[in-house]
Amino acid sequence: MPFKPTALASALLLAALVTPAAQASSHREAPFITTAPKVDGTDFYLFRSYEPGREGYVTLIANYLPLQDGYGGPNYFSLDPNALYEIHVDNNGDGVEDLSFQFRFKNTLAANGGGIALNVGGKSVAIPLRQAGPVSGAATDPLAYTESFELSLVRGDRRGGQRQAITHASSGASSFAKPIDYFGEKTLGNAASYEAYAQRHVHPINLPGCSTPGKVFVGQRQDPFPVTLGTIFDLVNAPAAVITNEANAAAFGAGTIADKNVTTLALELPAACLTAGNDPVIGAWTTASLRQARLLNGKPASGLQASEKTGGAWVQVSRLGMPLVNEVVIGLKDKDKFNASKPRDDAANFADYVTHPTLPALIEVLFGAKAPTNFPRTDLMTAFLTGLPGVNRPARITGLGTGGPLAEMLRLNTAIAITPVAQQKPLGVAAGDNAGFPNGRRPGDDVVDAALRVAMGALCVLTGEADALKVGCKPADAPAGAVPFVDGSRTQAADYRSAFPYLNTPLPGAKNF
């Protein structure tokens, strides 16, 4: 059959690249997580801050609660007070968290638990909406309930390590205000007004054990991930000629989820406070956990969380690091297992999905693009389970299976200089920009296109015969390794904000008329 790659093929190829074991760009990717969207992690970003004057900092961005429509009232998209949201950092290459940043949320009804009420015919009656008028960020805003969060740092094992509160660098408070979602322009003004309101919720923070303050922001943002999900999951419903030509990188624009919002948990922290010893490389991933038990109340009393009681141990239900793994790579039977897993156990639990990936073989069957023939796929293991030698491989890991575990996560070399916005290349390391993916991930990195090419053996072709031993394959092993695959949804740094928290203003629920 002739080689007919399509949009689905390109996305699947991407997924094959990230076959290790973690997820990012994962929207509704596993059976259980579809029942708990508030704890569904969608994307994770890790990069040296490129905002002018912030070069000594690292930005970590974890997005949750996918596919938010701006008009999703009256409740909109608050996060779950009964959940634990975490960003983990491994700074010694052993596949185990050394620093965990924990977020817990609280929603508080106004008027001592009664919300906002209006006098109707002599009776005080609670309104059905979140707001009773325009909102500006003032303490007197007419909001039925407010959202806040607490942030902690755990050193060592996140369940048994030392937990310390992270506090506001100016006030010393341990609770931080979260902006409400962008209900619409009548409530919160135009995009510029909403962004000014949101920016007042960028809080300076004191990190225990670190002498330099950082920043935190939690709030709604426009979904930054460019992808054509409908096309991908409809077995390729797109013109075939688009996919193999770099000139068609943006043929489909921003993709099908550009009209959606997400909820962002963003940290900007001094690089020196994240690394350990002389090794500048850190690894990171995100998780969300729920309590083991939930008791539903068939006759709930008044209140925001009156319908359930939770208890028991924390159970991890979401995990992500590298892009698009659980969504289209991990076998259906293991998707929930993957979300509950830890990086240090990846080799034992999911090795076959990396060493013998099914997606390149599926693409060959569907579209005739010859899959790589080197087994095990050590080129994929190098890119995603150990880090690239000379780029972002931790000092502890000296080769495949030596010095440290095969563990999937985003890895960032904090010693590699930043690339200014105007010079950033969407294909990152593959295009000679070592400050980009897979050396961490910036908002403007087109991880889909980069991953597509590696999945089909780009590393085998790029390294050549002389360097074959570095990745375990040679050009002859990858017949389609030189094809410049694209998925038709190209992104670039200029599409996003160039200052913390970097992601764009969310889309409003309604425009003013």
Side-chain angles (χ1 to χ4, degrees):
M1 184 172 68
F3 174 28
K4 293 183 179 179
T6 65
L8 173 62
S10 61
L12 293 178
L13 292 171
L14 146 70
L17 163 64
V18 288
T19 50
Q23 77 193 78
S25 316
S26 290
H27 299 65
R28 294 173 52 83
E29 80 291 337
F32 175 78
I33 207 64
T34 63
T35 71
K38 287 179 179 287
V39 288
D40 187 355
T42 67
D43 279 282
F44 180 46
Y45 300 86
L46 173 70
F47 55 94
R48 282 191 59 183
S49 299
Y50 47 86
E51 178 183 351
R54 305 294 289 181
E55 294 84 357
Y57 293 80
V58 170
T59 295
L60 308 94
I61 299 173
N63 289 338
Y64 289 89
L65 218 174
L67 307 179
Q68 299 178 18
D69 289 310
Y71 51 80
N75 293 295
Y76 296 97
F77 302 99
S78 59
L79 293 179
D80 188 350
N82 292 324
L84 176 65
Y85 301 84
E86 299 178 276
I87 300 175
H88 308 284
V89 175
D90 168 19
N91 58 23
N92 61 10
D94 65 354
V96 178
E97 65 272 12
D98 298 294
L99 305 170
S100 293
F101 299 92
Q102 299 184 334
F103 295 77
R104 294 293 310 275
F105 290 88
K106 183 178 182 180
N107 301 326
T108 304
L109 277 166
N112 297 317
I116 294 178
L118 297 179
N119 188 311
V120 181
K123 287 193 173 185
S124 180
V125 183
I127 67 171
L129 305 179
R130 287 281 306 274
Q131 79 281 32
V135 172
S136 65
T140 55
D141 280 342
L143 288 171
Y145 72 84
T146 56
E147 301 172 54
S148 62
F149 64 95
E150 293 183 349
L151 179 59
S152 301
L153 169 64
V154 178
R155 296 185 183 276
D157 185 279
R158 67 186 192 263
R159 296 295 180 258
Q162 179 187 9
R163 180 175 289 100
Q164 297 174 283
I166 293 175
T167 57
H168 195 287
S170 298
S171 68
S174 59
S175 179
F176 302 89
K178 173 186 174 296
I180 62 172
D181 296 338
Y182 198 179
F183 300 169
E185 292 187 350
K186 187 172 183 179
T187 300
L188 289 147
N190 62 19
S193 296
Y194 183 84
E195 190 57 41
Y197 161 74
Q199 286 293 318
R200 290 196 288 275
H201 294 82
V202 174
H203 304 288
I205 55 174
N206 285 326
L207 186 67
C210 182
S211 59
T212 305
K215 293 180 181 179
V216 65
F217 169 81
V218 174
Q220 193 178 49
R221 299 281 93 184
Q222 183 181 10
D223 195 319
F225 184 58
V227 67
T228 312
L229 286 181
T231 298
I232 290 171
F233 295 120
D234 190 29
L235 291 177
V236 192
N237 198 341
V242 170
I243 308 305
T244 58
N245 190 337
E246 174 64 24
N248 295 323
F252 303 135
T256 53
I257 60 174
D259 63 347
K260 306 296 183 183
N261 296 325
V262 292
T263 300
T264 291
L265 282 59
L267 293 167
E268 186 179 55
L269 304 171
C273 297
L274 294 175
T275 57
N278 296 321
D279 192 350
V281 176
I282 59 173
W285 67 99
T286 73
T287 62
S289 301
L290 296 172
R291 290 294 188 184
Q292 193 172 41
R294 179 176 69 166
L295 180 64
L296 298 181
N297 185 352
K299 296 181 179 180
S302 297
L304 293 177
Q305 283 83 51
S307 293
E308 67 176 7
K309 293 290 185 181
T310 63
W314 289 112
V315 177
Q316 182 181 304
V317 296
S318 179
R319 167 192 167 190
L320 64 83
M322 295 294 284
L324 265 170
V325 176
N326 207 7
E327 206 164 28
V328 286
V329 176
I330 300 297
L332 181 63
K333 68 184 182 69
D334 285 330
K335 288 181 179 293
D336 288 335
K337 179 179 180 179
F338 174 78
N339 269 347
S341 66
K342 297 181 179 181
R344 68 188 179 198
D345 298 323
D346 286 345
N349 288 332
F350 309 108
D352 287 348
Y353 293 116
V354 185
T355 61
H356 295 73
T358 60
L359 288 178
L362 177 61
I363 290 167
E364 180 173 339
V365 170
L366 292 175
F367 312 110
K370 295 296 183 182
T373 57
N374 56 300
F375 298 107
R377 287 292 301 275
T378 51
D379 54 325
L380 298 186
M381 295 166 69
T382 296
F384 294 95
L385 296 184
T386 67
L388 298 174
V391 179
N392 63 342
R393 177 173 290 182
R396 181 174 189 152
I397 301 176
T398 57
L400 290 176
T402 63
L406 297 176
E408 194 286 322
M409 61 185 74
L410 273 178
R411 290 185 172 89
L412 173 69
N413 187 337
T414 62
I416 291 179
I418 65 165
T419 302
V421 171
Q423 284 78 51
Q424 287 185 23
K425 298 183 184 300
L427 294 179
V429 173
D433 181 2
N434 283 355
F437 180 79
N439 181 32
R441 180 186 178 189
R442 304 166 300 195
D445 288 337
D446 194 332
V447 298
V448 173
D449 288 357
L452 284 174
R453 302 175 190 196
V454 175
M456 292 305 284
L459 291 180
C460 305
V461 173
L462 292 174
T463 54
E465 299 284 353
D467 295 326
L469 291 178
K470 293 183 179 179
V471 296
C473 61
K474 54 189 181 298
D477 295 326
V483 176
F485 291 102
V486 298
D487 76 331
S489 296
R490 174 57 58 86
T491 186
Q492 58 184 346
D495 294 334
Y496 305 95
R497 294 168 46 82
S498 57
F500 185 82
Y502 292 95
L503 305 186
N504 291 337
T505 305
L507 302 173
K511 304 287 272 184
N512 264 339
F513 295 97

